Amino acid sequence: MTPTYRICLLPGDGIGPEITVEAVKALEAIGRRFGARFEFREALLGGAAIDATGTALPDETLAAARAADAVLLAAIGGPKWDSTDPDAPRPEQGLLGIRKGLGLYANLRPVRIFDALVGASTLKPEALAGVDMLIVRELTGGLYFGPRARERDVEGAGAGGVRGMRAYDTCVYTEFEVERIARKAFEAARARRGRVHSVDKANVLESSRLWREVVHRVHDAEYPDVELIDQLVDNTAMQLVRYPAQFDVVLTENMFGDILSDEASMLTGSLGMLASASLGDGTALYEPSHGSAPDIAGQGVANPLAMLLSVELMLRYSFAMHEAADALAGAIEAVLADGWRTRDIAGPDTLPQRTVGTSAMGDLVVERLEG
Ligand code: NAD
């Protein structure tokens, strides 16, 4: 029997609808080649939802997302909905709301350098050889969610004896939170090259010491076949630009992951090529790392490859269709190797006749999938 997968599509705003069309085209080609059926249900999110319903995350959207086998989100936001009125609905509320509503505690961001695009990075080509890593960031705990306050400093005195305000944020992690994100990282490593760097600041922070303890416990009990390396976050920041090919899976807490994933993403030199997966215990969500690019929306020039790489992650993590995921990644690689570029990744050596728009780039990938 042909397996059927229900996908909730959230095209959102700006270039979102244009790149969503390309994702559907690719999934249909994959369905034909690998004998699977994809059912699409489109729902409103972000600015488009505000225009239609007055809220960035309508109840029907969350219900549709929860009922699906996977969610594919393009991008939300744009100047139309920018407002200084604190009570005005904002597109980002849709994004945060759906992540929270689906309980997505693990953010996975692959950083892979396509040979054909090595020149797009600010790093020397020789430093980039073999870079293919996956950052696994804890998304719902730590400093961004712990107790915080701004209050009058009644005990201490500031410089010159003046009492002022003080503020604090607290980094809290429970064993449960560390265990579940560690498992995601070890599982991912098993499907890759079998190595996890667990990044912390255990020489200073108590929360990091608990992190390290729990990661080792999960490793020793359940994943002894995976290589585990502890690394302090300041060292990781340096190693990412010194010798990035040493990393396979990088497991880290929320704030360190926020910073390191932006640093690592720039190894590729191109926003239009980065995908992400957000996983919880239920339906997962896949989205490109870029925004809605309002400056080029509607022009048919957006790069659909980050969206297609998000589809690759969906095939892997939600549907376990690894062969199909490899075929999609291979098709993208082949298109780039043949010199085809959208405007954002075109270099000085790109032939003008090889610079294509959104739809033509999608067609080229589909052709190779079918070939
Ligand atoms: P952006 O990522 O939308 O665009 C930054 C630059 O990169 C622009 O010049 C844009 O044209 C280009 N770009 C981005 N994606 C591209 C693609 N696929 N192909 C070709 N060029 C691409 O970031 P921004 O301009 O800071 O934000 C625009 C809007 O997107 C804002 O409203 C912001 O809040 C929103 N945003 C949404 C998300 C999301 O949906 N996850 C993420 C970031 C920003």
Side-chain angles (χ1 to χ4, degrees), residues 15 75-78 92 95 271 287 290-296 302-303 344:
I15 60 169
I76 52 93
E92 292 72 21
L95 200 57
L271 203 55
E287 58 178 322
H290 60 71
S292 61
D295 52 332
I296 56 167
N303 182 352
D344 58 303

Side-chain angles (χ1 to χ4, degrees), residues 1-12:
M1 212 176 75
T2 309
T4 301
Y5 301 106
R6 294 158 303 162
I7 299 174
C8 175
L9 294 175
L10 304 173

Side-chain angles (χ1 to χ4, degrees), residues 34 52 130 144 156 168 193 204 252 316:
F34 291 93
Y144 296 175
Y168 61 84
R193 300 195 305 280
V204 178
T252 192
R316 260 183 227 294

Side-chain angles (χ1 to χ4, degrees), residues 64-121:
R66 284 190 173 134
D69 295 314
V71 180
L72 185 63
L73 162 63
I76 52 93
K80 181 177 176 193
W81 301 281
D82 286 347
S83 165
T84 49
D85 174 0
D87 297 324
R90 286 176 294 111
E92 292 72 21
Q93 290 164 337
L95 200 57
L96 297 178
I98 197 152
R99 285 179 183 156
K100 186 156 181 270
L102 294 174
L104 305 173
Y105 59 81
N107 184 247
L108 276 59
R109 214 195 266 197
V111 177
R112 184 189 324 156
I113 314 278
F114 289 90
D115 288 345
L117 296 181
V118 158
S121 175

Side-chain angles (χ1 to χ4, degrees), residues 37 213 350:
R37 223 164 72 79
E213 226 173 270
T350 306

